[in-house]
Amino acid sequence: MMRVPVLEIFGPTFQGEGAVIGQKTMFVRTAGCDYSCSWCDSAFTWDGSQKDRIRMMTGEEILAELDGLAPNNYSHVTISGGNPALLKNMSGFVELAKERNIQMAVETQGTVFQEWMKDIDDVTISPKPPSSGMVTDYGKLEKVMAGLDAGGACYNFKVVVFDEQDFEYAAHIHQKYPDVAFYLQVGNPFLGDNVADHTNKLLERYNNLVDMTMKDQRMNDARVLPQLHTLLWSNKQGV
């Protein structure tokens, strides 16, 4: 039976990022990533710190746990990570969810394409900016886009911005692929528990990103987002 490494399943909650921000959703967070971003807020999915929590689960088991957490109280699932696009076997869960008419979203950095991604309602491709320490492989990125295009999937770009260099990178992505819906999201450098005055710190950074975007004609079609869940719950895991 097809199994995938699942680190946590939780909800109902609200999607805090990307094109479906504010959507009531359940989360299935998978383990493993092909990146190691310097500011990753989910490093526990790949750094080994929570490896004892990883469960190898079938699609049936994932769906049963979702139903147990929120019986008759969800119609949307977000597949998160790590990078869930690494997992070919996620197709088992996606097929079962689609049979139930459950809407789905997924986020990936755009390095790997899987056939099951064609069946996802909202695919967020989030290439990582210079502050992450990662380097974008545009060949891989365009293979992912080609696979999604071939399947008629709905996808968008989201770039997290921490500084002016990141903003320039975001502008480059937006200009290189102008026909793809584009989102800017403020970065959260304040990781860890019990961050003092976290919400106000994030709102100040969000305000700065809004100002940068308003002044830049390259971003006329961009949408500027906060991290909604971080404003509400700081860095708490599992919400």
Side-chain angles (χ1 to χ4, degrees), residues 78-117:
T78 299
I79 303 171
S80 185
N83 183 10
L86 297 175
L87 305 174
K88 182 178 181 180
N89 286 351
M90 185 57 75
S91 59
F93 169 68
V94 171
E95 290 169 6
L96 289 173
K98 295 308 290 184
E99 289 173 6
R100 288 259 302 266
N101 294 317
I102 295 171
Q103 296 286 298
M104 283 181 288
V106 70
E107 180 171 328
T108 175
Q109 56 262 48
T111 55
V112 181
F113 173 75
Q114 302 288 357
E115 288 295 320
W116 57 262
M117 292 166 66

Side-chain angles (χ1 to χ4, degrees), residues 70-208:
N72 302 313
N73 193 27
Y74 75 98
S75 58
H76 188 280
V77 173
T78 299
I79 303 171
S80 185
N83 183 10
L86 297 175
L87 305 174
K88 182 178 181 180
N89 286 351
M90 185 57 75
S91 59
F93 169 68
V94 171
E95 290 169 6
L96 289 173
K98 295 308 290 184
E99 289 173 6
R100 288 259 302 266
N101 294 317
I102 295 171
Q103 296 286 298
M104 283 181 288
V106 70
E107 180 171 328
T108 175
Q109 56 262 48
T111 55
V112 181
F113 173 75
Q114 302 288 357
E115 288 295 320
W116 57 262
M117 292 166 66
K118 295 178 180 178
D119 294 322
I120 300 297
D121 300 282
D122 291 285
V123 178
T124 293
I125 301 175
S126 184
K128 305 308 179 188
S131 65
S132 70
M134 302 294 104
V135 177
T136 301
D137 185 324
Y138 288 96
K140 290 181 178 180
L141 175 61
E142 289 169 8
K143 284 183 180 179
V144 172
M145 295 169 66
L148 293 170
D149 284 334
C154 180
Y155 64 94
N156 65 85
F157 280 123
K158 184 195 77 179
V159 177
V160 178
V161 175
F162 283 81
D163 53 35
E164 291 185 4
Q165 189 177 10
D166 287 355
F167 188 85
E168 288 302 312
Y169 169 87
H172 170 72
I173 291 287
H174 189 29
Q175 289 181 305
K176 188 174 178 67
Y177 308 107
D179 296 328
V180 180
F182 187 79
Y183 297 82
L184 292 166
Q185 183 177 293
V186 65
N188 171 26
F190 313 110
L191 302 180
D193 299 329
N194 303 315
V195 178
D197 204 25
H198 200 186
T199 295
N200 285 332
K201 288 177 178 177
L202 292 173
L203 286 174
E204 182 179 356
R205 292 180 63 84
Y206 181 51
N207 185 65
N208 290 339

Side-chain angles (χ1 to χ4, degrees), residues 14-23 183 185 225-229:
F14 289 87
Q15 174 56 260
E17 304 181 355
V20 291
I21 189 170
Q23 169 71 53
Y183 297 82
Q185 183 177 293
L225 303 178
Q227 264 195 330
L228 181 61
H229 60 289

Side-chain angles (χ1 to χ4, degrees), residues 226-238:
Q227 264 195 330
L228 181 61
H229 60 289
T230 313
L231 292 176
L232 292 171
W233 300 302
S234 190
N235 297 320
K236 186 178 180 181
Q237 186 179 340

